[in-house]
mmCIF file of all heavy atoms in Angstrom:
data_model
loop_
_atom_site.group_PDB
_atom_site.id
_atom_site.type_symbol
_atom_site.label_atom_id
_atom_site.label_comp_id
_atom_site.label_asym_id
_atom_site.label_seq_id
_atom_site.Cartn_x
_atom_site.Cartn_y
_atom_site.Cartn_z
ATOM 1 N N ILE I 65 0.823 -1.167 0.021
ATOM 2 C CA ILE I 65 -0.033 -0.049 0.037
ATOM 3 C C ILE I 65 0.910 1.223 -0.034
ATOM 4 O O ILE I 65 2.004 1.239 0.536
ATOM 5 C CB ILE I 65 -0.844 -0.037 1.248
ATOM 6 C CG1 ILE I 65 -2.004 1.131 1.132
ATOM 7 C CG2 ILE I 65 -0.111 0.046 2.505
ATOM 8 C CD1 ILE I 65 -3.037 1.014 2.206
ATOM 9 N N VAL I 66 0.434 2.269 -0.630
ATOM 10 C CA VAL I 66 1.162 3.560 -0.686
ATOM 11 C C VAL I 66 0.525 4.682 0.091
ATOM 12 O O VAL I 66 -0.760 4.881 0.018
ATOM 13 C CB VAL I 66 1.376 4.023 -2.147
ATOM 14 C CG1 VAL I 66 2.018 5.453 -2.239
ATOM 15 C CG2 VAL I 66 2.196 3.038 -2.903
ATOM 16 N N VAL I 67 1.273 5.350 0.880
ATOM 17 C CA VAL I 67 0.790 6.499 1.668
ATOM 18 C C VAL I 67 1.747 7.710 1.383
ATOM 19 O O VAL I 67 2.773 7.553 1.294
ATOM 20 C CB VAL I 67 0.813 6.255 3.139
ATOM 21 C CG1 VAL I 67 0.495 7.545 4.003
ATOM 22 C CG2 VAL I 67 -0.056 5.104 3.616
ATOM 23 N N HIS I 68 1.040 8.759 0.904
ATOM 24 C CA HIS I 68 1.883 10.085 0.691
ATOM 25 C C HIS I 68 1.583 10.997 1.879
ATOM 26 O O HIS I 68 0.450 10.984 2.528
ATOM 27 C CB HIS I 68 1.318 10.784 -0.631
ATOM 28 C CG HIS I 68 1.454 9.861 -1.816
ATOM 29 N ND1 HIS I 68 2.558 10.017 -2.703
ATOM 30 C CD2 HIS I 68 0.643 8.910 -2.303
ATOM 31 C CE1 HIS I 68 2.312 9.155 -3.704
ATOM 32 N NE2 HIS I 68 1.161 8.492 -3.466
ATOM 33 N N ALA I 69 2.574 11.860 2.177
ATOM 34 C CA ALA I 69 2.383 12.877 3.267
ATOM 35 C C ALA I 69 3.073 14.136 2.858
ATOM 36 O O ALA I 69 4.127 14.172 2.328
ATOM 37 C CB ALA I 69 3.030 12.272 4.543
ATOM 38 N N LEU I 70 2.316 15.279 3.287
ATOM 39 C CA LEU I 70 2.966 16.524 3.092
ATOM 40 C C LEU I 70 3.483 17.094 4.487
ATOM 41 O O LEU I 70 2.766 17.041 5.462
ATOM 42 C CB LEU I 70 1.804 17.518 2.632
ATOM 43 C CG LEU I 70 2.289 19.013 2.474
ATOM 44 C CD1 LEU I 70 3.249 19.209 1.443
ATOM 45 C CD2 LEU I 70 1.028 19.899 2.207
ATOM 46 N N LEU I 71 4.813 17.240 4.458
ATOM 47 C CA LEU I 71 5.537 17.756 5.791
ATOM 48 C C LEU I 71 5.620 19.295 5.736
ATOM 49 O O LEU I 71 6.002 19.824 4.693
ATOM 50 C CB LEU I 71 6.857 17.072 5.836
ATOM 51 C CG LEU I 71 7.724 17.418 6.980
ATOM 52 C CD1 LEU I 71 8.435 16.133 7.596
ATOM 53 C CD2 LEU I 71 8.816 18.480 6.770
ATOM 54 N N ASP I 72 5.378 19.860 6.915
ATOM 55 C CA ASP I 72 5.586 21.309 7.007
ATOM 56 C C ASP I 72 6.200 21.682 8.279
ATOM 57 O O ASP I 72 5.958 20.954 9.326
ATOM 58 C CB ASP I 72 4.101 22.006 6.886
ATOM 59 C CG ASP I 72 4.141 23.357 6.564
ATOM 60 O OD1 ASP I 72 5.300 23.927 6.248
ATOM 61 O OD2 ASP I 72 3.204 24.187 6.742
ATOM 62 N N SER I 73 7.047 22.684 8.321
ATOM 63 C CA SER I 73 7.723 23.150 9.434
ATOM 64 C C SER I 73 8.148 24.591 9.253
ATOM 65 O O SER I 73 8.125 25.144 8.078
ATOM 66 C CB SER I 73 8.905 22.307 9.725
ATOM 67 O OG SER I 73 9.519 22.623 10.919
ATOM 68 N N LYS I 74 8.600 25.283 10.317
ATOM 69 C CA LYS I 74 9.091 26.644 10.180
ATOM 70 C C LYS I 74 10.194 26.631 9.202
ATOM 71 O O LYS I 74 10.378 27.760 8.415
ATOM 72 C CB LYS I 74 9.546 27.137 11.551
ATOM 73 C CG LYS I 74 10.005 28.572 11.618
ATOM 74 C CD LYS I 74 10.544 28.921 12.969
ATOM 75 C CE LYS I 74 11.014 30.395 12.929
ATOM 76 N NZ LYS I 74 11.495 30.777 14.254
ATOM 77 N N SER I 75 11.135 25.748 9.127
ATOM 78 C CA SER I 75 12.321 25.797 8.395
ATOM 79 C C SER I 75 12.293 25.024 6.965
ATOM 80 O O SER I 75 13.095 25.215 6.193
ATOM 81 C CB SER I 75 13.526 25.314 9.192
ATOM 82 O OG SER I 75 13.659 25.980 10.348
ATOM 83 N N VAL I 76 11.299 24.172 6.804
ATOM 84 C CA VAL I 76 11.413 23.197 5.688
ATOM 85 C C VAL I 76 10.011 22.691 5.353
ATOM 86 O O VAL I 76 9.163 22.506 6.290
ATOM 87 C CB VAL I 76 12.414 22.041 5.918
ATOM 88 C CG1 VAL I 76 12.028 21.281 7.179
ATOM 89 C CG2 VAL I 76 12.635 21.273 4.683
ATOM 90 N N THR I 77 9.713 22.330 4.099
ATOM 91 C CA THR I 77 8.614 21.504 3.705
ATOM 92 C C THR I 77 9.181 20.306 3.006
ATOM 93 O O THR I 77 10.282 20.219 2.623
ATOM 94 C CB THR I 77 7.739 22.308 2.786
ATOM 95 O OG1 THR I 77 8.323 22.550 1.513
ATOM 96 C CG2 THR I 77 7.308 23.630 3.369
ATOM 97 N N GLY I 78 8.195 19.347 2.830
ATOM 98 C CA GLY I 78 8.584 18.127 2.218
ATOM 99 C C GLY I 78 7.443 17.310 1.698
ATOM 100 O O GLY I 78 6.375 17.327 2.135
ATOM 101 N N ALA I 79 7.736 16.466 0.644
ATOM 102 C CA ALA I 79 6.699 15.490 0.079
ATOM 103 C C ALA I 79 7.297 14.116 0.329
ATOM 104 O O ALA I 79 8.521 13.839 -0.068
ATOM 105 C CB ALA I 79 6.561 15.829 -1.427
ATOM 106 N N TYR I 80 6.522 13.353 0.916
ATOM 107 C CA TYR I 80 6.969 11.988 1.199
ATOM 108 C C TYR I 80 6.065 10.956 0.544
ATOM 109 O O TYR I 80 4.821 11.064 0.523
ATOM 110 C CB TYR I 80 6.904 11.716 2.711
ATOM 111 C CG TYR I 80 8.087 12.392 3.519
ATOM 112 C CD1 TYR I 80 8.113 13.830 3.584
ATOM 113 C CD2 TYR I 80 9.013 11.639 4.019
ATOM 114 C CE1 TYR I 80 9.193 14.391 4.361
ATOM 115 C CE2 TYR I 80 10.119 12.275 4.710
ATOM 116 C CZ TYR I 80 10.180 13.628 4.788
ATOM 117 O OH TYR I 80 11.196 14.160 5.464
ATOM 118 N N ARG I 81 6.709 9.867 0.048
ATOM 119 C CA ARG I 81 6.045 8.747 -0.454
ATOM 120 C C ARG I 81 6.495 7.570 0.282
ATOM 121 O O ARG I 81 7.656 7.298 0.331
ATOM 122 C CB ARG I 81 6.310 8.548 -1.918
ATOM 123 C CG ARG I 81 5.479 7.329 -2.595
ATOM 124 C CD ARG I 81 6.011 7.070 -3.902
ATOM 125 N NE ARG I 81 5.193 5.971 -4.588
ATOM 126 C CZ ARG I 81 5.454 4.685 -4.460
ATOM 127 N NH1 ARG I 81 6.652 4.343 -3.681
ATOM 128 N NH2 ARG I 81 4.660 3.654 -5.056
ATOM 129 N N PHE I 82 5.533 6.779 0.896
ATOM 130 C CA PHE I 82 5.834 5.566 1.610
ATOM 131 C C PHE I 82 5.220 4.410 0.891
ATOM 132 O O PHE I 82 4.053 4.266 0.851
ATOM 133 C CB PHE I 82 5.311 5.670 3.028
ATOM 134 C CG PHE I 82 5.697 6.793 3.883
ATOM 135 C CD1 PHE I 82 5.070 8.018 3.865
ATOM 136 C CD2 PHE I 82 6.922 6.641 4.692
ATOM 137 C CE1 PHE I 82 5.507 9.011 4.678
ATOM 138 C CE2 PHE I 82 7.457 7.682 5.401
ATOM 139 C CZ PHE I 82 6.637 8.899 5.430
ATOM 140 N N GLY I 83 6.123 3.517 0.366
ATOM 141 C CA GLY I 83 5.618 2.259 -0.195
ATOM 142 C C GLY I 83 5.717 1.195 0.878
ATOM 143 O O GLY I 83 6.836 0.794 1.317
ATOM 144 N N ILE I 84 4.608 0.678 1.431
ATOM 145 C CA ILE I 84 4.543 -0.078 2.643
ATOM 146 C C ILE I 84 4.314 -1.635 2.328
ATOM 147 O O ILE I 84 3.334 -1.922 1.636
ATOM 148 C CB ILE I 84 3.560 0.473 3.543
ATOM 149 C CG1 ILE I 84 3.878 1.891 3.898
ATOM 150 C CG2 ILE I 84 3.498 -0.383 4.851
ATOM 151 C CD1 ILE I 84 2.792 2.726 4.678
ATOM 152 N N TYR I 85 5.183 -2.492 2.628
ATOM 153 C CA TYR I 85 5.086 -3.911 2.383
ATOM 154 C C TYR I 85 5.091 -4.590 3.711
ATOM 155 O O TYR I 85 6.087 -4.945 4.299
ATOM 156 C CB TYR I 85 6.291 -4.291 1.486
ATOM 157 C CG TYR I 85 6.427 -3.638 0.280
ATOM 158 C CD1 TYR I 85 7.150 -2.408 0.227
ATOM 159 C CD2 TYR I 85 5.987 -4.091 -0.976
ATOM 160 C CE1 TYR I 85 7.333 -1.672 -0.985
ATOM 161 C CE2 TYR I 85 6.182 -3.402 -2.095
ATOM 162 C CZ TYR I 85 6.814 -2.287 -2.161
ATOM 163 O OH TYR I 85 6.957 -1.483 -3.282
ATOM 164 N N PRO I 86 3.927 -5.057 4.251
ATOM 165 C CA PRO I 86 3.844 -5.742 5.457
ATOM 166 C C PRO I 86 4.304 -7.188 5.242
ATOM 167 O O PRO I 86 4.271 -7.791 4.210
ATOM 168 C CB PRO I 86 2.281 -5.823 5.780
ATOM 169 C CG PRO I 86 1.620 -5.767 4.472
ATOM 170 C CD PRO I 86 2.543 -4.782 3.668
ATOM 171 N N GLY I 87 4.960 -7.748 6.432
ATOM 172 C CA GLY I 87 5.336 -9.129 6.266
ATOM 173 C C GLY I 87 6.380 -9.473 7.350
ATOM 174 O O GLY I 87 6.427 -8.974 8.470
ATOM 175 N N LYS I 88 7.256 -10.382 6.942
ATOM 176 C CA LYS I 88 8.271 -10.910 7.925
ATOM 177 C C LYS I 88 9.604 -10.831 7.142
ATOM 178 O O LYS I 88 10.065 -11.820 6.580
ATOM 179 C CB LYS I 88 8.020 -12.287 8.359
ATOM 180 C CG LYS I 88 8.949 -12.767 9.459
ATOM 181 C CD LYS I 88 8.549 -14.242 9.713
ATOM 182 C CE LYS I 88 9.462 -14.785 10.838
ATOM 183 N NZ LYS I 88 9.218 -16.137 11.280
ATOM 184 N N PRO I 89 10.240 -9.683 7.112
ATOM 185 C CA PRO I 89 9.916 -8.379 7.946
ATOM 186 C C PRO I 89 9.105 -7.453 7.078
ATOM 187 O O PRO I 89 8.926 -7.623 5.904
ATOM 188 C CB PRO I 89 11.290 -7.776 8.340
ATOM 189 C CG PRO I 89 12.066 -8.159 7.135
ATOM 190 C CD PRO I 89 11.710 -9.501 6.691
ATOM 191 N N THR I 90 8.532 -6.393 7.731
ATOM 192 C CA THR I 90 7.919 -5.391 7.100
ATOM 193 C C THR I 90 8.957 -4.379 6.490
ATOM 194 O O THR I 90 9.889 -4.073 7.179
ATOM 195 C CB THR I 90 7.034 -4.589 8.066
ATOM 196 O OG1 THR I 90 5.897 -5.471 8.399
ATOM 197 C CG2 THR I 90 6.509 -3.271 7.457
ATOM 198 N N HIS I 91 8.649 -3.952 5.206
ATOM 199 C CA HIS I 91 9.561 -3.019 4.611
ATOM 200 C C HIS I 91 8.838 -1.703 4.143
ATOM 201 O O HIS I 91 7.574 -1.792 3.966
ATOM 202 C CB HIS I 91 10.054 -3.506 3.238
ATOM 203 C CG HIS I 91 10.980 -4.759 3.383
ATOM 204 N ND1 HIS I 91 12.330 -4.750 3.520
ATOM 205 C CD2 HIS I 91 10.591 -6.084 3.423
ATOM 206 C CE1 HIS I 91 12.762 -5.854 3.742
ATOM 207 N NE2 HIS I 91 11.807 -6.830 3.601
ATOM 208 N N ILE I 92 9.461 -0.574 4.394
ATOM 209 C CA ILE I 92 8.911 0.702 3.946
ATOM 210 C C ILE I 92 9.862 1.459 3.058
ATOM 211 O O ILE I 92 11.031 1.785 3.468
ATOM 212 C CB ILE I 92 8.468 1.547 5.094
ATOM 213 C CG1 ILE I 92 7.485 0.817 6.095
ATOM 214 C CG2 ILE I 92 7.829 2.912 4.710
ATOM 215 C CD1 ILE I 92 7.086 1.642 7.293
ATOM 216 N N SER I 93 9.548 1.645 1.851
ATOM 217 C CA SER I 93 10.242 2.313 0.856
ATOM 218 C C SER I 93 9.985 3.838 0.991
ATOM 219 O O SER I 93 8.712 4.106 0.676
ATOM 220 C CB SER I 93 10.043 1.722 -0.593
ATOM 221 O OG SER I 93 10.774 2.563 -1.444
ATOM 222 N N VAL I 94 10.917 4.679 1.248
ATOM 223 C CA VAL I 94 10.596 6.055 1.466
ATOM 224 C C VAL I 94 11.254 6.916 0.391
ATOM 225 O O VAL I 94 12.512 6.743 0.076
ATOM 226 C CB VAL I 94 11.074 6.480 2.793
ATOM 227 C CG1 VAL I 94 10.788 7.933 3.153
ATOM 228 C CG2 VAL I 94 10.579 5.611 3.970
ATOM 229 N N LYS I 95 10.562 7.832 -0.138
ATOM 230 C CA LYS I 95 11.095 8.938 -0.974
ATOM 231 C C LYS I 95 10.789 10.178 -0.380
ATOM 232 O O LYS I 95 9.565 10.489 -0.290
ATOM 233 C CB LYS I 95 10.607 8.758 -2.440
ATOM 234 C CG LYS I 95 11.081 9.899 -3.372
ATOM 235 C CD LYS I 95 10.533 9.805 -4.821
ATOM 236 C CE LYS I 95 10.987 10.954 -5.603
ATOM 237 N NZ LYS I 95 10.439 10.903 -7.015
ATOM 238 N N ALA I 96 11.756 10.984 0.034
ATOM 239 C CA ALA I 96 11.492 12.298 0.620
ATOM 240 C C ALA I 96 12.127 13.370 -0.239
ATOM 241 O O ALA I 96 13.278 13.393 -0.560
ATOM 242 C CB ALA I 96 12.166 12.411 2.014
ATOM 243 N N THR I 97 11.194 14.394 -0.535
ATOM 244 C CA THR I 97 11.744 15.495 -1.449
ATOM 245 C C THR I 97 11.590 16.759 -0.575
ATOM 246 O O THR I 97 10.391 17.022 -0.108
ATOM 247 C CB THR I 97 10.830 15.653 -2.712
ATOM 248 O OG1 THR I 97 10.876 14.465 -3.451
ATOM 249 C CG2 THR I 97 11.440 16.788 -3.586
ATOM 250 N N LEU I 98 12.623 17.415 -0.152
ATOM 251 C CA LEU I 98 12.668 18.493 0.755
ATOM 252 C C LEU I 98 12.845 19.848 0.138
ATOM 253 O O LEU I 98 13.744 19.976 -0.803
ATOM 254 C CB LEU I 98 13.701 18.141 1.800
ATOM 255 C CG LEU I 98 13.660 16.814 2.612
ATOM 256 C CD1 LEU I 98 14.798 16.629 3.453
ATOM 257 C CD2 LEU I 98 12.307 16.806 3.359
ATOM 258 N N PHE I 99 12.239 20.891 0.622
ATOM 259 C CA PHE I 99 12.366 22.187 0.144
ATOM 260 C C PHE I 99 12.621 23.099 1.406
ATOM 261 O O PHE I 99 11.698 23.537 2.051
ATOM 262 C CB PHE I 99 11.142 22.687 -0.515
ATOM 263 C CG PHE I 99 10.729 21.843 -1.769
ATOM 264 C CD1 PHE I 99 9.889 20.775 -1.706
ATOM 265 C CD2 PHE I 99 11.217 22.152 -3.019
ATOM 266 C CE1 PHE I 99 9.561 19.991 -2.724
ATOM 267 C CE2 PHE I 99 11.000 21.281 -4.105
ATOM 268 C CZ PHE I 99 10.218 20.277 -3.959
ATOM 269 N N PRO I 100 13.921 23.453 1.647
ATOM 270 C CA PRO I 100 14.212 24.302 2.816
ATOM 271 C C PRO I 100 13.677 25.745 2.702
ATOM 272 O O PRO I 100 13.943 26.360 1.632
ATOM 273 C CB PRO I 100 15.672 24.326 2.939
ATOM 274 C CG PRO I 100 16.101 23.064 2.175
ATOM 275 C CD PRO I 100 15.103 22.925 1.033
ATOM 276 N N ARG I 101 13.090 26.295 3.688
ATOM 277 C CA ARG I 101 12.728 27.725 3.677
ATOM 278 C C ARG I 101 13.921 28.569 4.059
ATOM 279 O O ARG I 101 14.031 29.785 3.782
ATOM 280 C CB ARG I 101 11.536 27.990 4.690
ATOM 281 C CG ARG I 101 10.152 27.457 4.302
ATOM 282 C CD ARG I 101 9.101 27.943 5.296
ATOM 283 N NE ARG I 101 7.779 27.667 4.642
ATOM 284 C CZ ARG I 101 6.966 26.767 5.064
ATOM 285 N NH1 ARG I 101 7.325 25.902 6.008
ATOM 286 N NH2 ARG I 101 5.781 26.763 4.564
ATOM 287 N N VAL I 102 14.799 27.875 4.911
ATOM 288 C CA VAL I 102 16.040 28.641 5.402
ATOM 289 C C VAL I 102 17.202 27.644 5.144
ATOM 290 O O VAL I 102 16.972 26.389 4.979
ATOM 291 C CB VAL I 102 15.953 29.116 6.840
ATOM 292 C CG1 VAL I 102 14.807 30.115 6.945
ATOM 293 C CG2 VAL I 102 15.710 27.894 7.655
#
């Protein structure tokens, strides 16, 4: 399953994509694209 998330903070924003694979073990593939404000 895929979950996307919008990150926000005083200093930075970001777009996250989590490719989630449950199992033994569970894997999460993460792609983070960051845009610093400062």
Side-chain angles (χ1 to χ4, degrees):
I65 189 170
V66 171
V67 175
H68 303 263
L70 177 64
L71 180 136
D72 197 12
S73 189
K74 180 181 178 181
S75 301
V76 62
T77 67
Y80 284 71
R81 179 190 183 276
F82 301 94
I84 302 171
Y85 303 82
K88 187 180 182 180
T90 291
H91 298 270
I92 301 181
S93 174
V94 183
K95 178 183 178 183
T97 306
L98 304 173
F99 300 92
R101 286 186 167 106
V102 299

